[in-house]
Amino acid sequence: MDVITREILFNRVRSWVLEAGALIRKKMHDPLTIDTKSNPKDLVTEMDREVEFFFASKIKAYYPEHLLLSEEGYGDTLSDVHGTVWVLDPIDGTMNFVHQKQNFAISLGIYYEGIGEIGLIYDVMRNNLYSAMRNNGAYKNDRQLKKLNKDLQLNHSIICLNHHWLAKNSLVDERVMQQLIKDVRGTRTYGSAALEFAYVAEGAADAYITMRLEPWDIAAGRIIVREVGAMITNIYGEEVGMLERSSILTCNPTIHKTLIKDYICKAKK
Ligand code: 2AM
Ligand code: CA
Ligand code: CA
Ligand code: CA
């Protein structure tokens, strides 16, 4: 994608993301229909669908040759990564949206021939927009985010992870994960993968470890964290493709190896 095309696209998409966020804020206290999907904890609301439909309609009108990969059913079925693909999570952190009315985000990544070009994560209620274009730096609103510091130690780190991994479970040995929380300075769980990526990008968290994400949870965050020099792999240190459902470890590069070697690999069942 050439730089000028990308810049025009970025500005337009940015304005759509802000518009969708304003729509959510306006309707925030209206009565809401809440459905469940795969299980009683897997929520979806009409707002998730409405925001996705907003983007699907815009893309169809302005960029009919572009494809959309998204969570709630208005997207296309993709068999490969060719062309320009929008990867959208209309509301990331639906449970927070429903229960807290905050701590959720719109997450949108735009890929060209499989390469992430534009990433936007919009913390709707705080009106914070995290954004990046490949090789052009990452921003929080108008402020450019600094490259991550290169001499971080694990015992000075804050890591984001889900409490699931500290209780007995089928995937990892909880005792190793419990040791990890003792060895780091602090842990956090925010319940929105996109926001957790954003916090790693701005250095508010040093790592985010998660066992299973969908492509739309990862798409924008990947582009943004890369611009500040963060690592983004699966929990075994391998690259994750644009269309893959995967575990994710995104972190300050200094602690990537120790998190994998001294904890995650030891915890593997
Ligand atoms: P969602 O709110 O868009 O569904 C919650 O810990 C985080 O994991 C959220 O970012 C959530 O995205 C994501 N997630 C991915 N797959 C999920 C699933 N099957 N059930 C619940 N949350 C999921
Ligand atoms: Ca969901
Ligand atoms: Ca999500
Ligand atoms: Ca979602």
Side-chain angles (χ1 to χ4, degrees):
M1 187 179 285
D2 73 78
V3 177
I4 295 172
T5 309
R6 189 175 74 170
E7 181 120 12
I8 294 167
L9 182 59
F10 177 87
N11 286 326
R12 184 171 273 163
V13 177
R14 181 179 172 279
S15 78
W16 289 348
V17 168
L18 296 174
E19 190 182 336
L23 181 90
I24 297 173
R25 286 193 298 269
K26 187 166 149 239
K27 295 193 172 186
M28 197 59 181
H29 296 285
D30 290 359
L32 195 62
T33 312
I34 303 157
D35 298 318
T36 57
K37 300 203 285 187
S38 61
N39 64 64
K41 296 179 183 176
D42 187 4
L43 308 179
V44 61
T45 74
E46 64 211 72
M47 188 61 81
D48 298 67
R49 297 195 192 98
E50 190 172 333
V51 172
E52 187 169 307
F53 184 73
F54 169 89
F55 283 97
S57 310
K58 293 280 192 200
I59 296 166
K60 203 160 271 164
Y62 286 79
Y63 302 104
E65 71 285 10
H66 292 187
L67 294 167
L68 172 63
L69 175 63
S70 54
E71 184 175 10
E72 309 298 353
Y74 295 105
D76 302 294
T77 307
L78 267 72
S79 50
D80 58 50
V81 301
H82 277 314
T84 304
V85 181
W86 299 48
V87 189
L88 171 70
D89 192 339
I91 296 185
D92 181 65
T94 297
M95 194 181 286
N96 290 348
F97 170 71
V98 169
H99 286 262
Q100 305 187 316
K101 304 204 179 303
Q102 60 179 336
N103 302 323
F104 61 88
I106 298 171
S107 173
L108 176 60
I110 301 183
Y111 286 68
Y112 179 68
E113 299 296 323
I115 296 170
E117 295 286 351
I118 294 171
L120 295 156
I121 294 173
Y122 187 35
D123 179 338
V124 171
M125 301 315 284
R126 292 187 187 86
N127 191 23
N128 280 328
L129 180 67
Y130 300 85
S131 68
M133 286 188 269
R134 185 172 60 88
N135 295 334
N136 204 41
Y139 288 79
K140 179 180 184 180
N141 302 318
D142 295 329
R143 175 171 63 85
Q144 183 162 5
L145 298 176
K146 291 197 202 87
K147 291 269 182 195
L148 300 181
N149 92 49
K150 284 278 171 34
D151 49 21
L152 180 71
Q153 287 167 6
L154 193 67
N155 61 2
H156 290 175
S157 301
I158 292 183
I159 62 169
C160 299
L161 86 175
N162 194 298
H163 300 132
H164 269 308
W165 314 117
L166 305 172
K168 210 165 180 50
N169 68 85
S170 60
L171 284 181
V172 291
D173 181 344
E174 69 282 2
R175 291 165 302 181
V176 179
M177 302 312 273
Q178 289 164 5
Q179 188 59 47
L180 173 61
I181 67 163
K182 288 179 192 157
D183 292 347
V184 296
R185 179 172 275 171
T187 55
R188 298 290 185 271
T189 301
Y190 294 102
S192 157
L195 290 178
E196 287 168 287
F197 275 107
Y199 299 153
V200 169
E202 66 176 322
D206 304 299
Y208 171 46
I209 306 170
T210 178
M211 300 302 165
R212 192 182 165 100
L213 290 182
E214 303 287 338
W216 41 80
D217 299 315
I218 306 164
R222 180 210 310 268
I223 298 163
I224 294 171
V225 299
R226 275 192 179 153
E227 288 302 312
V228 296
M231 299 292 292
I232 168 161
T233 63
N234 68 16
I235 57 172
Y236 303 114
E238 298 155 343
E239 284 261 329
V240 177
M242 181 194 127
L243 302 178
E244 269 181 72
R245 167 187 289 164
S246 177
S247 66
I248 288 289
L249 167 60
T250 182
C251 62
N252 185 301
T254 331
I255 58 173
H256 188 249
K257 199 169 153 204
T258 178
L259 284 171
I260 294 173
K261 187 165 87 39
D262 301 330
Y263 297 95
I264 298 167
C265 283
K266 285 189 179 154
K268 190 181 180 184
K269 277 192 170 159

